[in-house]
Amino acid sequence: MNINDPESYLESLRTLERNVYVLGERCANTVDNPLVRPSANAVAETYEVGAEPEAASLLFTTSHLSGREISRFTHIHQSTDDLVDKVLMQRLLDRRTATCFQRCVGMDGFNALYSVTHECDEAHGTPYHARLKDYLEWVQDSNVVVEGAMTDVKGDRSLRPGEQLDPDMFLHLVDRTPEGIVVRGAKAHQTCALNSHEILVMPTTAMREGEEEFAVSFAVPADTKGITFVLGRQPSDTRKMEGSQLDLGNRYGSQEALVIFDDVFVPSERVFMCGETDQSGKVVERFASFHRQSYGGCKVGVGDVLIGAAQLAADYQGSSKASHVRDKITEMVHLNETLFCCGIACSAQGRATEAGNYEVEPLLANICKLNVTRFPF
Amino acid sequence: MNINDPESYLESLRTLERNVYVLGERCANTVDNPLVRPSANAVAETYEVGAEPEAASLLFTTSHLSGREISRFTHIHQSTDDLVDKVLMQRLLDRRTATCFQRCVGMDGFNALYSVTHECDEAHGTPYHARLKDYLEWVQDSNVVVEGAMTDVKGDRSLRPGEQLDPDMFLHLVDRTPEGIVVRGAKAHQTCALNSHEILVMPTTAMREGEEEFAVSFAVPADTKGITFVLGRQPSDTRKMEGSQLDLGNRYGSQEALVIFDDVFVPSERVFMCGETDQSGKVVERFASFHRQSYGGCKVGVGDVLIGAAQLAADYQGSSKASHVRDKITEMVHLNETLFCCGIACSAQGRATEAGNYEVEPLLANICKLNVTRFPF
Amino acid sequence: MNINDPESYLESLRTLERNVYVLGERCANTVDNPLVRPSANAVAETYEVGAEPEAASLLFTTSHLSGREISRFTHIHQSTDDLVDKVLMQRLLDRRTATCFQRCVGMDGFNALYSVTHECDEAHGTPYHARLKDYLEWVQDSNVVVEGAMTDVKGDRSLRPGEQLDPDMFLHLVDRTPEGIVVRGAKAHQTCALNSHEILVMPTTAMREGEEEFAVSFAVPADTKGITFVLGRQPSDTRKMEGSQLDLGNRYGSQEALVIFDDVFVPSERVFMCGETDQSGKVVERFASFHRQSYGGCKVGVGDVLIGAAQLAADYQGSSKASHVRDKITEMVHLNETLFCCGIACSAQGRATEAGNYEVEPLLANICKLNVTRFPF
Amino acid sequence: MNINDPESYLESLRTLERNVYVLGERCANTVDNPLVRPSANAVAETYEVGAEPEAASLLFTTSHLSGREISRFTHIHQSTDDLVDKVLMQRLLDRRTATCFQRCVGMDGFNALYSVTHECDEAHGTPYHARLKDYLEWVQDSNVVVEGAMTDVKGDRSLRPGEQLDPDMFLHLVDRTPEGIVVRGAKAHQTCALNSHEILVMPTTAMREGEEEFAVSFAVPADTKGITFVLGRQPSDTRKMEGSQLDLGNRYGSQEALVIFDDVFVPSERVFMCGETDQSGKVVERFASFHRQSYGGCKVGVGDVLIGAAQLAADYQGSSKASHVRDKITEMVHLNETLFCCGIACSAQGRATEAGNYEVEPLLANICKLNVTRFPF
């Protein structure tokens, strides 16, 4: 597989033999399902160079592993410039779609694992870092979409993973074989689930001694035996089925799904953590930092579209010169650009890890996320 | 007609021969249409004494016109206690439905017209106040639902009513006959439209000299010839058609409609303003004050339900003792009770008009409305 | 003593033989000290009928104890109208002074004790309620200023009163005699301290079993042996000593002092609680509710002056029509009137206690206080 | 003059023969005046390498004019790294003083003039850019403090400079001679005034055709004939005269002064604009952008101290584990780091001007300033 344009991306999804449920029924071809298609279209934009002058240099870069040109969504950041370019790419893409283009979760996932597997190998003599590099080189060359899967179902938030009434509230190891491991559980609210070729699983929280079975990380193809996807409901989701040409949600949209792992086998070469509880918290923190940085780009791009739409609506109804309307537009710009500043700042103040890749400044990335919560649109 | 319980209310709607469009098709019986029924159920609650100890004294009172017991929704407020009781009734009812019960707009409309018609007659020798009292006594005895219709389509907000490209952007007089008047235009976003027996039309803004044709107020039955209703779309509206028992929106919900007046005849005895431009602004201001007061009750009741639901969700997932969750619940209570304070204060500081009825303190009512905009739920 | 105008009030203070320290030195006559005088002037306004038409009916009322006309600052609220009038009086007075007029703390204190002493007597057979009424009748007739003293020095906030390293961090009982009690400790940040004839002491928090020595309430004259006052420092306090005629702070201002009780004897007839720990929390809660209500009047009056000053400054510099200036003035009005709404609402929704006096609705009073913290001026 | 440490800086000020008024009296030596000294101490810190490991590389850099090592406060930014380092230097210094160290206004002033004089010369054939470079090289080598003076007294904000009743409300040209120009007017609220050797004057707003006399920019020594300084009053300013060792404001503090120009002669080689109205707006915009960026460093350093002080106070009184205290500290960190993000982002996204120096991204710099207004400490 070597996906290099929107159409080959969509076609590649059509042939995936996954076990998917949409509105209570099996759905063999999610790409052509009106409820899912708008979100596939949003992912497809990541394969489109586009007309923006800066797009090519933002969407594509050079692999530090192979030296070949790759999608930035499969890249391991090599400098603070790379970190800044990630944010600029996100803002550019979201100005096209005004919705989540979904590939950041996977990108943020393997950038986090890149340094943690290195440190894990140093500490425990494990072979994870080389495995991850092999996997990444394949991902870069094939240019598949990788879903980053972190959020467990969790159950009772006041109890630890091992204390839950239902033992499958947190994804966990159920068996080891000479060839690999077997896992059970589920990952919830997976933004990219139905539009991915691969699933990259990470632990959802810092595990403690005695919680080894929950400290697992691995990658599997989306059509692996034992995996079931259930599309979640969203406000006005069935509006997409009405087929209106006026409704922009029919062109680009989002989805999220529950991904159930029912005794799924993972071959050893795709296992990146298995029981090293002291490393699990670092995966969560670094992934979270990268993902908080992401908001400084993607949500800002959505904001750009919303601000433009608000201004357009004001122009249409003749109210764009009213001072209260101008104040509101100004306030939207203020909040949006503040978020962008946080995305840029945590990138520009980033630093090298021991593995050689670059990570964002974690406090400023956290500030970025906090400012999303002040963002009323 | 004498409607005195939810079932007779719903039955009365079934027999109304109105011209209604729902999702692009004629709909003869809106009550039993799943898109509209939840909103009719919400209105029906205003006919239900209910189990709350204070409900009977809040929902019912004594008419100052007839001395008979009437629904408070048809009452002209006779004291600051009446104004406070209105707010308490609204909070109580919205705790039942968590959605708009729709009868306030009509109530606020004829309470505003009550004093303005009195002052108009003083100034112009018109016969409107007595007409309004006759109409009100019939409304009180029959206990019909009256929609208050104020918001015009408006077109270009930077132009006056008479300057619009389309002369029907503001509802206006097109003819006078010995028996009455003929009007054309439309009222938009009418919350109670499909669940009302009567429509009480008011001007949407203060009219100036030369804008006499737009300074009109009157009441007509909803099934009057020339009136067409078009149900508006809402987020997730068709979810109601899926029939889930789990979805509370199937029990209570809201609607809004566009109400088109295509050369509608209004008999003289139902005309309450016709060309007195100097009175039109007062109708808008007083109606707005009453309606801003309303938010201090109805939205607070919705808030009560949302706060309870948020607390319940936190209890379910074991997070109710987390300090950030407690802070958010506390913040919701703070904003909700602040709004209630404004509703109570503008009522308790209310005052008698020249007509003898009571109106709220307008500055404090305006503050009430402003606090709704700080209300993030 | 029967104080009935500003001048006799100021004169009465001159003759008080108190032990006062100002800027590190003994000060025999605080009234004529430029650091203290502006705050005495503010209290003096409570003795001035004033030119406002509603002032007389707000500042004065009829005693339920004697039937005589008294200052409302010495009144026990007999109705929700009384509660509302308290708020209106506070707003009126603070429009005159733009600073704290200091008598509310005492008024709120004895209104809280009025119902608690009644309930304490019911529960414990104590004689406090009759004592308090005797004291109040004297206060009403003499029209003295009573400081309400609640806030202890507290020390380490993570420790209980009896656990502090320094046993005097909370005011406490040190001895009982046949004629009365002896107390030691200090009350901090006392707003009215240097301008009062009497000090009414209350516990600062709900005491538990074993903390009987801290559950004390009583009244003593300000010139009682063993009491020392130390004036606190404030920003720009010595500016008052520069004597500028331009500086409005020289006319009205505030002060606060530390009041030290060094083995002070209190005669039994002035003791209103001594060891009844189960009653102490109620004093704090009810006092706090009354005092939170107070903010809905006094701070709103200060707000009125600040809003007017801001508008005047804008007029002076020619910026009053700029939209950002108008927005800020509007925002000030919004926050100020919201606070007023809370003060009115908790009063209008007040209720009778078992003792027959009226208390405010405590949740809404708490909301009132919370809105002060949103008040950026 | 070559100032290279705090003591030589303070000594250099003692010998300046300026015309200064403090509290209504002539003051020959402002350095040793207790009202002014704390602010001189804050400036002196800019001459102190300090113990922080990164301080030397932040406080000092290499001149692009001479190749010699200079204070960054006299530097023309040569890259986005320079822009970022400016912000880092400001945060570092304000962590030492918790008050304004005053040299940024001058630095921001000549960085703005650097590109504008270049563009002015291109457009008008003027000789300003070379003059400015000569001046800058002298400033860099002597390491004097330069006050940037922009804000005029302004008078009636609704009138243009030439329409004011008092013609001196905006600083303006009164005469031209073969050797230079003569100016009259005043600059208000000058933060660095009493601690500067030089004054760099810029226009306060974009001037229009016909307002040539107000489009003037120049530099003069602070002890030039005709210049008078009047120290402004500040809250608690005389507290500094009490000499307490406990009061940290006696060590570092701020000042601001009115600087009056009473027919001051400026030699031609120090004139950088004289009548080129089309260039005046650019000076204001670019200066404002640099100065808005400055807030992302200096105010953040003040914030660091305040956050630390708040945490220390909480520790002292035993309340640091209370959730509402932790929330407030967290909120302070959030707002402070958000501001820092804006300072970093507008720097990292900076760009080269035609003159070759670097300026910040103006929209993001403006966002930085807006976030200062959300900063409640």
Side-chain angles (χ1 to χ4, degrees):
Chain A
M1 185 151 38
N2 185 327
I3 306 171
N4 46 33
D5 60 22
E7 201 39 58
S8 63
Y9 162 66
L10 293 173
E11 190 53 35
S12 72
L13 285 184
R14 284 191 186 90
T15 61
L16 271 180
E17 301 203 350
R18 296 167 301 172
N19 190 27
V20 181
Y21 285 84
V22 173
L23 292 180
E25 301 194 355
R26 284 288 295 272
C27 174
N29 173 0
T30 62
V31 180
D32 298 308
N33 183 307
L35 271 176
V36 184
R37 179 57 176 271
S39 68
N41 286 342
V43 179
E45 283 292 333
T46 69
Y47 290 96
E48 177 67 56
V49 180
E52 304 91 344
E54 69 275 34
S57 70
L58 292 177
L59 268 62
F60 306 103
T61 187
T62 304
S63 169
H64 77 295
L65 297 172
S66 67
R68 289 189 283 276
E69 178 172 80
I70 57 171
S71 165
R72 188 176 295 279
F73 283 103
T74 66
H75 188 46
I76 297 297
H77 315 299
Q78 298 298 309
S79 64
T80 58
D81 281 350
D82 266 357
L83 291 168
V84 168
D85 282 348
K86 173 193 160 187
V87 173
L88 297 177
M89 168 183 73
Q90 291 169 317
R91 185 170 189 173
L92 177 142
L93 278 176
D94 248 326
R95 281 177 163 170
R96 294 185 189 167
T97 65
T99 191
C100 181
F101 40 81
Q102 305 156 55
R103 284 181 84 178
C104 303
V105 198
M107 166 175 55
D108 293 339
F110 46 68
N111 271 280
L113 282 168
Y114 193 84
S115 58
V116 176
T117 51
H118 178 90
E119 294 166 26
C120 183
D121 292 357
E122 292 287 313
H124 297 287
T126 45
Y128 300 138
H129 192 61
R131 283 182 189 173
L132 183 70
K133 288 206 283 191
D134 284 347
Y135 176 63
L136 278 173
E137 197 166 343
W138 172 77
V139 166
Q140 291 179 342
D141 288 343
S142 58
N143 202 8
V144 291
V145 175
V146 180
E147 177 208 346
M150 180 170 272
T151 306
D152 282 300
V153 177
K154 292 183 185 169
D156 186 334
R157 267 68 170 170
S158 65
L159 301 177
R160 297 287 311 168
E163 299 168 352
Q164 301 289 331
L165 219 68
D166 178 338
D168 299 333
M169 287 293 96
F170 287 75
L171 190 144
H172 61 106
L173 185 76
V174 288
D175 201 8
R176 279 178 197 266
T177 73
E179 293 78 27
I181 63 174
V182 178
V183 297
R184 192 187 298 159
K187 294 289 183 178
H189 311 305
Q190 298 302 303
T191 322
C192 193
L194 296 187
N195 299 315
S196 299
H197 309 90
E198 290 277 316
I199 306 176
L200 176 65
V201 167
M202 295 165 281
T204 204
T205 191
M207 299 300 166
R208 303 177 184 165
E209 262 201 72
E211 299 176 339
E212 285 75 13
E213 63 177 310
F214 303 104
V216 284
S217 176
F218 58 85
V220 283
D223 54 359
T224 299
K225 185 167 174 293
I227 298 179
T228 303
F229 299 84
V230 182
L231 181 69
R233 298 301 305 264
Q234 296 192 323
S236 299
D237 48 8
T238 55
R239 191 72 67 96
K240 296 182 177 80
M241 300 167 76
E242 297 181 18
S244 161
Q245 297 298 311
L246 277 171
D247 199 332
L248 296 174
N250 292 345
R251 175 127 182 238
Y252 295 121
S254 64
Q255 54 88 6
E256 59 174 43
L258 179 69
V259 185
I260 302 166
F261 293 77
D262 190 5
D263 290 352
V264 169
F265 171 77
V266 184
S268 297
E269 64 268 24
R270 290 290 189 257
V271 175
F272 309 126
M273 177 182 296
C274 191
E276 297 80 9
T277 50
D278 60 335
Q279 305 295 315
S280 59
K282 291 194 289 187
V283 175
V284 178
E285 284 168 24
R286 295 182 194 178
F287 168 80
S289 290
F290 281 124
H291 210 55
R292 287 159 177 166
Q293 170 208 28
S294 289
Y295 292 140
C298 69
K299 298 220 179 278
V300 178
V302 175
D304 288 334
V305 178
L306 293 176
I307 291 165
Q311 182 66 49
L312 187 64
D315 289 344
Y316 273 169
Q317 66 173 13
S319 63
S320 58
K321 285 179 183 157
S323 74
H324 68 285
V325 171
R326 293 175 65 168
D327 281 356
K328 287 187 181 73
I329 301 277
T330 303
E331 174 74 4
M332 290 172 86
V333 172
H334 172 207
L335 292 169
N336 205 38
E337 298 296 340
T338 294
L339 194 52
F340 181 61
C341 284
C342 296
I344 293 297
C346 70
S347 304
Q349 295 277 298
R351 59 198 176 202
T353 71
E354 287 173 28
N357 67 323
Y358 271 68
E359 62 179 13
V360 294
E361 210 289 321
L363 172 61
L364 302 187
N366 204 347
I367 295 301
C368 190
K369 176 63 189 306
L370 278 172
N371 277 309
V372 175
T373 66
R374 310 289 161 108
F375 202 58
F377 49 101
Chain B
M1 186 150 34
N2 186 326
I3 306 171
N4 47 32
D5 60 23
E7 200 40 57
S8 63
Y9 162 67
L10 293 172
E11 191 53 35
S12 72
L13 285 183
R14 283 191 187 93
T15 61
L16 271 181
E17 301 203 350
R18 295 167 302 172
N19 190 26
V20 180
Y21 287 83
V22 173
L23 292 180
E25 301 194 354
R26 286 287 296 273
C27 175
N29 173 1
T30 62
V31 179
D32 298 306
N33 182 307
L35 271 176
V36 184
R37 180 55 178 270
S39 68
N41 286 342
V43 179
E45 283 292 332
T46 68
Y47 291 96
E48 177 67 58
V49 180
E52 304 92 343
E54 70 275 34
S57 70
L58 293 177
L59 268 64
F60 305 103
T61 187
T62 303
S63 170
H64 76 296
L65 297 171
S66 68
R68 289 189 283 277
E69 177 170 81
I70 56 170
S71 165
R72 188 177 295 279
F73 284 102
T74 66
H75 189 46
I76 298 297
H77 315 298
Q78 298 298 309
S79 64
T80 58
D81 282 349
D82 266 357
L83 291 168
V84 169
D85 282 347
K86 175 193 161 186
V87 173
L88 298 176
M89 169 182 73
Q90 290 169 317
R91 185 170 189 173
L92 176 142
L93 278 177
D94 248 326
R95 281 177 162 171
R96 292 185 190 168
T97 65
T99 191
C100 179
F101 42 79
Q102 306 155 54
R103 285 181 82 178
C104 304
V105 198
M107 166 175 56
D108 294 340
F110 44 67
N111 271 280
L113 283 169
Y114 193 84
S115 58
V116 177
T117 52
H118 177 90
E119 294 166 25
C120 184
D121 292 358
E122 293 286 312
H124 298 287
T126 46
Y128 300 139
H129 192 61
R131 283 183 188 172
L132 183 70
K133 289 205 284 192
D134 284 347
Y135 176 62
L136 278 173
E137 196 166 343
W138 172 76
V139 167
Q140 291 178 341
D141 287 343
S142 58
N143 202 8
V144 292
V145 174
V146 180
E147 177 208 346
M150 181 171 270
T151 307
D152 282 300
V153 176
K154 293 182 185 168
D156 186 333
R157 267 70 170 170
S158 65
L159 301 176
R160 298 287 311 167
E163 300 168 352
Q164 301 289 331
L165 220 67
D166 178 338
D168 300 333
M169 287 291 98
F170 287 75
L171 190 142
H172 61 107
L173 185 75
V174 289
D175 201 10
R176 278 179 199 266
T177 73
E179 294 77 28
I181 63 175
V182 178
V183 297
R184 192 188 298 159
K187 293 290 183 177
H189 311 306
Q190 297 303 303
T191 322
C192 193
L194 296 187
N195 300 314
S196 298
H197 309 89
E198 290 276 316
I199 306 176
L200 176 66
V201 167
M202 296 166 281
T204 204
T205 190
M207 299 301 166
R208 302 175 185 168
E209 263 201 72
E211 299 175 339
E212 285 73 15
E213 62 176 309
F214 304 104
V216 282
S217 175
F218 57 84
V220 282
D223 54 0
T224 299
K225 184 166 176 294
I227 298 180
T228 303
F229 300 84
V230 182
L231 182 68
R233 298 299 307 261
Q234 296 192 323
S236 299
D237 48 7
T238 56
R239 192 71 68 94
K240 296 183 177 76
M241 300 167 76
E242 297 181 17
S244 161
Q245 296 299 310
L246 277 171
D247 200 332
L248 296 174
N250 292 345
R251 176 128 180 238
Y252 295 120
S254 65
Q255 54 88 6
E256 59 174 43
L258 179 69
V259 185
I260 303 166
F261 293 77
D262 189 6
D263 290 352
V264 169
F265 172 76
V266 185
S268 297
E269 64 267 25
R270 290 291 189 256
V271 175
F272 309 127
M273 178 182 296
C274 191
E276 296 81 8
T277 51
D278 60 334
Q279 305 295 315
S280 59
K282 291 194 289 187
V283 175
V284 178
E285 284 168 24
R286 295 183 194 177
F287 170 79
S289 291
F290 282 124
H291 210 55
R292 288 160 177 167
Q293 170 209 29
S294 288
Y295 293 141
C298 69
K299 299 221 180 278
V300 178
V302 175
D304 288 334
V305 177
L306 293 175
I307 291 165
Q311 182 66 49
L312 187 64
D315 289 343
Y316 273 168
Q317 65 173 14
S319 64
S320 59
K321 285 179 184 156
S323 75
H324 67 285
V325 171
R326 292 174 66 169
D327 281 357
K328 287 188 181 72
I329 301 277
T330 303
E331 174 73 3
M332 290 171 86
V333 171
H334 172 205
L335 292 168
N336 205 39
E337 298 295 340
T338 294
L339 194 51
F340 181 61
C341 283
C342 296
I344 293 296
C346 71
S347 305
Q349 296 276 298
R351 60 200 174 198
T353 70
E354 287 174 29
N357 66 323
Y358 271 69
E359 62 180 13
V360 294
E361 209 289 320
L363 171 60
L364 302 187
N366 205 346
I367 296 300
C368 190
K369 176 63 190 304
L370 279 171
N371 277 308
V372 175
T373 68
R374 310 290 161 107
F375 201 58
F377 49 101
Chain C
M1 185 152 36
N2 186 327
I3 306 171
N4 46 32
D5 59 22
E7 201 39 58
S8 62
Y9 162 67
L10 293 172
E11 190 52 36
S12 71
L13 285 183
R14 285 192 186 90
T15 62
L16 270 181
E17 301 203 349
R18 295 167 302 172
N19 190 26
V20 180
Y21 286 83
V22 172
L23 292 181
E25 304 194 353
R26 285 289 294 273
C27 174
N29 173 0
T30 63
V31 179
D32 297 308
N33 183 306
L35 270 177
V36 184
R37 178 57 176 271
S39 68
N41 286 343
V43 179
E45 283 293 332
T46 68
Y47 290 96
E48 177 67 56
V49 179
E52 303 92 342
E54 70 275 33
S57 70
L58 293 177
L59 268 64
F60 305 103
T61 186
T62 304
S63 168
H64 77 296
L65 297 172
S66 68
R68 289 189 284 275
E69 178 171 80
I70 55 171
S71 165
R72 189 177 294 281
F73 283 104
T74 66
H75 188 46
I76 298 299
H77 314 300
Q78 299 297 309
S79 65
T80 57
D81 281 350
D82 266 357
L83 292 167
V84 168
D85 282 348
K86 174 192 161 187
V87 172
L88 297 177
M89 170 183 71
Q90 291 168 317
R91 185 170 189 172
L92 177 142
L93 278 176
D94 248 326
R95 281 177 162 170
R96 293 186 190 166
T97 65
T99 190
C100 181
F101 41 81
Q102 306 156 54
R103 284 181 84 178
C104 304
V105 198
M107 165 175 57
D108 294 339
F110 44 67
N111 272 280
L113 282 168
Y114 193 85
S115 58
V116 177
T117 52
H118 178 91
E119 294 166 26
C120 182
D121 292 358
E122 293 288 311
H124 298 287
T126 45
Y128 300 139
H129 192 61
R131 284 182 187 172
L132 183 70
K133 288 205 285 191
D134 284 347
Y135 176 63
L136 279 173
E137 197 166 343
W138 172 76
V139 166
Q140 291 178 343
D141 288 343
S142 58
N143 203 8
V144 291
V145 175
V146 181
E147 177 208 346
M150 181 170 271
T151 306
D152 282 299
V153 176
K154 290 184 186 169
D156 186 333
R157 268 68 171 169
S158 65
L159 302 177
R160 297 288 309 168
E163 298 168 352
Q164 302 288 332
L165 220 67
D166 177 338
D168 299 333
M169 287 292 98
F170 288 75
L171 190 144
H172 61 106
L173 185 75
V174 289
D175 200 10
R176 278 179 199 266
T177 73
E179 293 77 27
I181 63 174
V182 178
V183 297
R184 191 188 299 158
K187 294 290 183 177
H189 310 307
Q190 297 302 302
T191 322
C192 193
L194 296 188
N195 299 315
S196 298
H197 310 89
E198 290 276 317
I199 306 176
L200 176 65
V201 166
M202 296 165 280
T204 204
T205 189
M207 299 300 166
R208 302 177 184 165
E209 263 203 72
E211 300 175 340
E212 284 74 13
E213 63 176 309
F214 304 104
V216 283
S217 174
F218 58 85
V220 283
D223 54 1
T224 299
K225 183 166 176 292
I227 298 181
T228 303
F229 299 85
V230 182
L231 181 69
R233 299 299 307 263
Q234 295 192 324
S236 298
D237 47 8
T238 54
R239 192 71 69 94
K240 296 183 178 76
M241 301 167 74
E242 298 180 16
S244 161
Q245 297 299 312
L246 277 170
D247 199 332
L248 295 175
N250 292 346
R251 174 125 182 241
Y252 295 120
S254 64
Q255 54 90 5
E256 59 174 43
L258 179 68
V259 185
I260 302 167
F261 293 78
D262 189 6
D263 290 352
V264 169
F265 171 75
V266 184
S268 296
E269 65 268 24
R270 288 291 188 256
V271 175
F272 308 127
M273 178 182 297
C274 191
E276 296 80 6
T277 52
D278 60 334
Q279 305 296 315
S280 59
K282 290 193 290 186
V283 175
V284 178
E285 284 168 24
R286 293 182 196 178
F287 170 80
S289 290
F290 281 124
H291 210 54
R292 288 160 177 167
Q293 172 210 25
S294 289
Y295 293 140
C298 68
K299 300 220 178 278
V300 178
V302 175
D304 288 335
V305 177
L306 293 175
I307 292 165
Q311 182 67 48
L312 187 65
D315 289 344
Y316 273 169
Q317 66 173 13
S319 64
S320 60
K321 284 179 184 157
S323 74
H324 67 285
V325 171
R326 293 175 65 169
D327 281 356
K328 286 187 181 73
I329 301 277
T330 303
E331 175 73 3
M332 290 172 87
V333 171
H334 172 205
L335 292 169
N336 205 39
E337 298 295 341
T338 294
L339 194 51
F340 180 61
C341 284
C342 296
I344 293 297
C346 71
S347 305
Q349 295 277 298
R351 60 201 174 198
T353 71
E354 286 174 30
N357 66 324
Y358 271 69
E359 62 179 13
V360 295
E361 209 289 320
L363 172 60
L364 302 186
N366 205 347
I367 295 300
C368 190
K369 176 64 189 303
L370 279 172
N371 276 308
V372 175
T373 67
R374 311 289 162 106
F375 201 59
F377 49 103
Chain D
M1 187 151 34
N2 186 328
I3 306 171
N4 47 31
D5 59 22
E7 200 40 57
S8 62
Y9 163 66
L10 293 173
E11 191 53 37
S12 71
L13 286 183
R14 284 191 187 91
T15 61
L16 272 180
E17 301 201 352
R18 297 168 299 173
N19 191 25
V20 180
Y21 287 83
V22 173
L23 293 181
E25 302 193 354
R26 283 288 295 272
C27 174
N29 173 0
T30 63
V31 179
D32 298 307
N33 183 308
L35 270 177
V36 185
R37 179 57 177 270
S39 69
N41 287 342
V43 180
E45 283 293 331
T46 68
Y47 291 96
E48 177 67 57
V49 181
E52 304 91 342
E54 70 276 33
S57 70
L58 293 177
L59 268 63
F60 306 102
T61 186
T62 304
S63 169
H64 77 296
L65 297 172
S66 67
R68 289 189 283 276
E69 178 172 79
I70 56 170
S71 165
R72 188 177 295 281
F73 283 103
T74 66
H75 188 47
I76 297 297
H77 315 300
Q78 298 298 309
S79 64
T80 58
D81 282 350
D82 266 358
L83 291 168
V84 169
D85 282 348
K86 174 193 160 187
V87 173
L88 297 177
M89 170 182 71
Q90 291 168 317
R91 184 170 188 172
L92 176 142
L93 278 177
D94 248 327
R95 280 177 163 170
R96 293 186 189 167
T97 64
T99 191
C100 180
F101 41 81
Q102 304 156 56
R103 285 181 83 178
C104 303
V105 198
M107 166 175 56
D108 294 339
F110 44 68
N111 271 280
L113 281 168
Y114 193 85
S115 58
V116 177
T117 51
H118 177 91
E119 294 166 26
C120 183
D121 293 357
E122 293 287 312
H124 298 286
T126 45
Y128 301 138
H129 192 62
R131 284 183 188 171
L132 183 71
K133 288 205 285 193
D134 284 347
Y135 176 62
L136 278 173
E137 198 166 342
W138 172 76
V139 167
Q140 291 178 343
D141 288 342
S142 59
N143 202 9
V144 291
V145 174
V146 181
E147 177 207 345
M150 181 170 269
T151 306
D152 282 301
V153 176
K154 292 183 185 168
D156 185 333
R157 268 69 171 169
S158 66
L159 301 177
R160 297 288 309 168
E163 299 169 350
Q164 300 290 331
L165 219 68
D166 178 339
D168 300 333
M169 287 292 97
F170 288 75
L171 190 143
H172 61 106
L173 186 75
V174 289
D175 201 9
R176 278 179 199 267
T177 73
E179 294 76 28
I181 63 175
V182 179
V183 297
R184 192 188 299 158
K187 295 288 184 178
H189 311 305
Q190 297 302 304
T191 322
C192 194
L194 296 187
N195 300 314
S196 298
H197 309 88
E198 290 277 316
I199 305 175
L200 176 66
V201 166
M202 296 166 281
T204 204
T205 189
M207 299 300 167
R208 303 178 184 165
E209 264 201 72
E211 300 175 339
E212 285 74 14
E213 62 176 308
F214 304 104
V216 283
S217 176
F218 57 84
V220 283
D223 53 1
T224 299
K225 183 165 175 295
I227 298 180
T228 302
F229 299 84
V230 182
L231 181 68
R233 299 299 307 262
Q234 294 192 325
S236 298
D237 47 7
T238 54
R239 191 72 68 94
K240 295 183 177 77
M241 300 167 76
E242 297 181 17
S244 161
Q245 297 298 311
L246 276 171
D247 199 331
L248 296 174
N250 292 346
R251 176 127 181 237
Y252 294 121
S254 64
Q255 54 90 3
E256 58 175 44
L258 180 70
V259 185
I260 302 167
F261 292 78
D262 190 6
D263 289 353
V264 169
F265 171 76
V266 184
S268 297
E269 63 268 25
R270 290 289 189 258
V271 175
F272 310 127
M273 177 181 298
C274 190
E276 296 80 8
T277 51
D278 60 335
Q279 306 295 317
S280 60
K282 291 194 290 187
V283 175
V284 178
E285 284 168 24
R286 293 182 197 178
F287 169 80
S289 290
F290 281 124
H291 210 55
R292 288 161 177 166
Q293 170 209 28
S294 288
Y295 293 141
C298 69
K299 299 221 178 276
V300 178
V302 175
D304 288 334
V305 178
L306 292 176
I307 292 166
Q311 182 66 48
L312 187 64
D315 289 345
Y316 273 168
Q317 66 172 16
S319 65
S320 60
K321 284 179 183 155
S323 74
H324 68 285
V325 171
R326 294 175 65 169
D327 282 356
K328 287 187 181 72
I329 301 279
T330 303
E331 175 73 4
M332 290 171 86
V333 171
H334 172 206
L335 292 169
N336 205 39
E337 298 296 340
T338 294
L339 194 52
F340 181 61
C341 283
C342 296
I344 293 298
C346 71
S347 305
Q349 296 277 297
R351 59 201 175 198
T353 70
E354 287 173 30
N357 66 323
Y358 271 68
E359 62 179 13
V360 295
E361 209 289 320
L363 171 60
L364 302 187
N366 205 347
I367 296 300
C368 190
K369 176 64 189 305
L370 278 172
N371 276 308
V372 175
T373 66
R374 311 289 161 107
F375 201 59
F377 50 101

